[in-house]
Amino acid sequence: MDLSPPQTVYMKKLNKTKVSKKKAGKTKADVGAAKARAPTSKARNRQPLEAKLVELKRRLLEISDLEAVDSVLGWDHATYMPKGGAAARSRQGAMLSRLRHERSVDPALGKLLDDLMPYSEGLADGSDEARLIRVARRDFEKAIKLTADYVARASANSSASYDAWTRARPANDFAAMQPFLEKAIDLSREYASFFSPYEHIADPLIDSAEEGMTTEEVRTLFAGLKRELRPIVRAICGQPPPSDACLRGSFDESSQLAFSLSVVKRFGYDLDRGRLDKTHHPFCSKFCLGDIRITTRVNERQFGSTLFAAMHEAGHAIYEQSIAPALEGTPLGTGASWGVHESQSRLWENVVGRSRPFWEHFYPVLQDRFPDQFRKVGLDTFYRAINKVKRSLIRTDADEVTYNLHIMMRFDLELDLLEGRLRVKDLPEAWRARMEADLGVAPVDDSDGCLQDVHWYGASTVGGGFQSYTIGNLLSAQFYGAAIKAHPDIPSEIAKGEFGTLRAWLCNHIYQHGRKFAPGELVPQAADAPMSIAPYMDYLHAKYGELYSLPQH
Amino acid sequence: MDLSPPQTVYMKKLNKTKVSKKKAGKTKADVGAAKARAPTSKARNRQPLEAKLVELKRRLLEISDLEAVDSVLGWDHATYMPKGGAAARSRQGAMLSRLRHERSVDPALGKLLDDLMPYSEGLADGSDEARLIRVARRDFEKAIKLTADYVARASANSSASYDAWTRARPANDFAAMQPFLEKAIDLSREYASFFSPYEHIADPLIDSAEEGMTTEEVRTLFAGLKRELRPIVRAICGQPPPSDACLRGSFDESSQLAFSLSVVKRFGYDLDRGRLDKTHHPFCSKFCLGDIRITTRVNERQFGSTLFAAMHEAGHAIYEQSIAPALEGTPLGTGASWGVHESQSRLWENVVGRSRPFWEHFYPVLQDRFPDQFRKVGLDTFYRAINKVKRSLIRTDADEVTYNLHIMMRFDLELDLLEGRLRVKDLPEAWRARMEADLGVAPVDDSDGCLQDVHWYGASTVGGGFQSYTIGNLLSAQFYGAAIKAHPDIPSEIAKGEFGTLRAWLCNHIYQHGRKFAPGELVPQAADAPMSIAPYMDYLHAKYGELYSLPQH
């Protein structure tokens, strides 16, 4: 697969040739036929760059495949691996990270991208190839800042930390996690240091999730959101809460999983290219376009978390399953950003999955599945129960209204840890204090506090991720609003258990493009406006105004 | 991890120095303390070779880990992968094969082994390090004969072929498999060509499984065995067959899996370092010493195949789980040969799992698990049913007496294919003719004929493997006989559901050594005699002489 030595051929010029051909009245077929003939001198000139593009894609596919293989190891670790496998698995994951990193920073890749720049500048800005070269170049320039040693240490710590967390959470043993988290914070600072100078230490971390976004921008956005949310939460929590007793009882695992699977299948999650398994912490994992898996957790004493987690992960999976096949194996073959990705998990989980139209169709199906539990419970009672707003401890179980308070607290705590204003050993106490202040409740133990989810214990860095959950919430309402504006009959289709029109709109405007467009481009294209908190606040006021008395909007 | 340039230091001399230290009356602790002090000139001399040994182990561990990662992909492919994942999985497997191959043939590895040869010659012949260097060198010298391109093509064909076979077997569609098998035969010939000159084209393939064994030796062994087996099969099949009706009925999947799991756990299969899943074709897969998994198949209309396949794979797994941890991640950290490995699967499946003492303990447990099916069936009837000898179509379901006839037929057909005397398209007909001649039955369709198992459709080469099944049968009886000779109370322990004495003997004499000793060394060490057919024939005569009238032995 070795290439002949690079030649300086400017594709800008070549592209102009192409345009002039079109102007001369030649059709696409003519051009194709000309290509099929023996190479002209122009074709010979183009050859080296075409070969370079092929070579670029081959290299990117290998990087993508190494990541996919690592994801298979990760999925297996979380689902079926016996505990004896942990040490070697961690070592094997570190090896794959190193191999991937070596390839991501190979100077030959940089040279290829340099050579292809003039070519990409001559292409239409929205073409797959122009975008591929641009994004691959950006990824390369970020990757070469990290050392191989850093990548291996970060991978080894996250894998060992994840393993320890699966034991520490049930044991309520924060002390066991303290060294791992301290190391993760150090690794996060080290990560940021590769990108200095920066305005804020979290900027390089946030940029990994939301291209171009800064700590300052997130703070401003969150300050506005907090201002608007506070009076709603105060108003709702001052009213007598609806009962959610109907969600507690006995709900056997296999029935919950079967019902969840039937729902996500109806959403459009393709089971020939995916599957649902059970894990501690739900996730979506992609091994290729044809194999994108989701997991959910199971609590047999309560109805809801299994289903809503499955819907959530299916949202991520449907997005990935719908990316244009032409983008597969390239850096464009994934979601636009974490926030945009999260907008789809939250759209399917909340905007659709907790909506009244959805349950008009599915509640009778659920009653058939769990007759003893739901036969005597009316739709309205059930709908109020699954949308009950309350001050609660666990982020992933939080309702749509208070959820963002959890996120904003996590975001602030991460900044405090990164800035060094908060020491890891003081985290449990800081967590309790902030929960009390922001949500009016505080956990008795760390299992329901700062150990409650895997985020700080299973990733190679801490910080720069949580903001995307709230961005996802904002965008879920914004995108759904745009889809409804284009197709006002979407809610009535949902009430028939049909999701085709909504899914097609999302696919056309978001999914198929993968990472071709940065969020700052994609959101205005899809929603006719830049990201803002207004559509989300409108959505909350409309939905929760019907369930509770709310202050004037 | 880069090493300083190699230095010519003869470890033979160094080793003598070590011995003289001991002679001078220094204790181990003294030597350790001396090591901990500032390096003496002798220690400085030793340093480069010690560093080379560390570097050798690091390189071997990476090769072992790449193989392990590929095994995780393969296990997932066979167990839980959705069908959409096949194409990418095949590509990813080929990539891992290529990466592993690159490392296995790296000239730097060869150089390290060259440099370490004088050191290894100075070590005690039976030491781990001497053996490691010898075996790693042999593997290296074999590996450098293969091209990277060949390795990638072979891996891609086996993966695509496996995938096609999972569809072709139920569809009875040999035509679909013909091109894959033709390619596999071509690849096998190509493999052999890398090792020419050879006496027989199958010699290099057999050598991969049984170090040093030739086609001629296998033919001689098999001719003797066939001569002894033929009169027994004729005698048994001329008698009224015992009924095995009690094994047919309804046996639900989860109960069969649970019973199988409870049995292999009692054998000593450690579930903290393994698990049991369901696949088309049962197998054992190793990802590290702490994660060695087995699979079995399930037929709910029949009792036996689920359990015996689980016992069989557990035999492989217990062997691997018992290898000395010091050998992990090196070429010594696996079984001595395919035949020795198979001796352990057959020992646990047949010699133990189909023995009367085993069922004296477990039959009441089985009756409790399946009361409707077995309550009224006596132990003797059940024991005769699971040991019924009959002319049958499916190798893996064949009884102990006729099983080797299947193997010898497969071995001959493989030789015919490799020699070019049989064309792949004529295989179904040749299969039927040989089955009729050797076993007196012939399959109606290819699903029960030449498509019946994955061997020719899931491996990168065809040929050189099947002989090891019969070698395994021979050795299972030979090793068991040696264990009984040392501990005559083993059968009475088995009758109490205890397997500790047997397992400890196997561990001491076989398992712990991994691949330290070639089969030609290991068998005489463990069994006090070289491999022969006599112990196996004695075993068959003793067991089946009680069940049937047999000709004089």
Side-chain angles (χ1 to χ4, degrees), chain A residues 62 65 76 91 98 293, chain B residues 62 76 91 98 293:
Chain A
E62 187 164 297
D65 276 343
D76 179 74
R91 186 182 68 231
R98 180 172 50 76
R293 307 186 191 174
Chain B
E62 186 164 297
D76 179 74
R91 187 182 68 231
R98 181 170 50 74
R293 307 186 191 175

Side-chain angles (χ1 to χ4, degrees), chain A residues 289-357:
Chain A
L289 190 58
D291 189 357
I292 296 162
R293 307 186 191 174
I294 61 173
T295 72
T296 187
R297 58 184 162 181
V298 176
N299 178 347
E300 292 197 314
R301 297 185 312 280
Q302 184 239 35
F303 179 81
S305 67
T306 301
L307 173 66
F308 293 115
M311 288 175 169
H312 182 101
E313 302 307 333
H316 287 303
I318 292 166
Y319 188 170
E320 291 284 342
Q321 285 189 335
S322 309
I323 293 173
L327 307 181
E328 189 179 12
T330 80
L332 304 186
T334 187
S337 77
W338 290 15
V340 175
H341 232 305
E342 190 68 10
S343 77
Q344 296 314 301
S345 55
R346 301 297 276 176
L347 186 150
W348 289 102
E349 176 194 356
N350 286 339
V351 184
V352 173
R354 291 183 205 262
S355 72
R356 197 183 284 273

Side-chain angles (χ1 to χ4, degrees), chain A residues 58 61-62 64-66 68-69 72-73 75-76 79-85 88-89 91-92 95-96 98-99 102-103 271-275 277 287-293 328, chain B residues 58 61-62 64-66 68-69 72-73 75-76 79-85 88-89 91-92 95-96 98-99 102-103 271-275 277 287-293 328:
Chain A
R58 186 195 67 77
L61 179 63
E62 187 164 297
S64 162
D65 276 343
L66 282 165
V69 171
V72 176
L73 297 193
W75 176 87
D76 179 74
T79 50
Y80 298 114
M81 190 184 79
K83 64 183 180 182
R89 185 58 53 93
R91 186 182 68 231
Q92 290 156 359
M95 173 188 67
L96 290 168
R98 180 172 50 76
L99 293 175
E102 281 167 11
R103 281 152 185 77
L271 288 170
D272 283 344
R273 300 188 292 138
R275 51 178 291 123
D277 293 272
F287 311 144
C288 64
L289 190 58
D291 189 357
I292 296 162
R293 307 186 191 174
E328 189 179 12
Chain B
R58 187 196 66 79
L61 179 62
E62 186 164 297
S64 162
D65 276 343
L66 283 164
V69 171
V72 177
L73 297 193
W75 177 88
D76 179 74
T79 51
Y80 298 114
M81 189 185 79
K83 63 184 181 181
R89 185 58 54 92
R91 187 182 68 231
Q92 290 156 359
M95 174 188 67
L96 291 168
R98 181 170 50 74
L99 293 174
E102 281 167 12
R103 281 153 183 76
L271 288 169
D272 283 344
R273 301 188 293 139
R275 50 178 290 123
D277 293 274
F287 311 145
C288 63
L289 190 59
D291 188 357
I292 295 163
R293 307 186 191 175
E328 189 179 13

Side-chain angles (χ1 to χ4, degrees), chain A residues 136-184:
Chain A
R137 198 182 167 83
R138 181 178 135 86
D139 288 353
F140 177 77
E141 280 168 4
K142 290 188 76 169
I144 55 174
K145 295 193 190 291
L146 309 181
T147 63
D149 168 65
Y150 165 80
V151 173
R153 279 184 289 121
S155 164
N157 187 59
S158 65
S159 182
S161 179
Y162 172 82
D163 196 58
W165 173 77
T166 62
R167 290 184 300 272
R169 193 194 171 193
N172 186 36
D173 184 4
F174 180 75
M177 297 316 299
Q178 191 180 320
F180 291 106
L181 184 54
E182 281 167 352
K183 205 164 171 187

Side-chain angles (χ1 to χ4, degrees), chain A residues 6-82:
Chain A
Q7 271 181 260
T8 312
V9 181
Y10 289 95
M11 287 306 279
K12 219 164 189 174
K13 201 176 133 199
L14 269 174
N15 195 56
K16 277 181 188 158
T17 315
K18 262 188 192 164
V19 172
S20 69
K21 267 187 189 166
K22 268 190 188 161
K23 278 187 183 160
K26 287 200 181 175
T27 64
K28 246 185 175 171
D30 291 333
V31 177
K35 271 190 186 165
R37 286 193 296 269
T40 63
S41 69
K42 272 172 196 157
R44 272 200 303 274
N45 282 346
R46 191 162 52 229
Q47 186 55 34
L49 281 180
E50 282 173 354
K52 277 184 212 287
L53 193 62
V54 168
E55 171 65 3
L56 175 69
K57 287 183 179 171
R58 186 195 67 77
R59 284 175 176 269
L60 296 172
L61 179 63
E62 187 164 297
I63 293 168
S64 162
D65 276 343
L66 282 165
E67 189 174 4
V69 171
D70 201 4
S71 298
V72 176
L73 297 193
W75 176 87
D76 179 74
H77 192 160
T79 50
Y80 298 114
M81 190 184 79

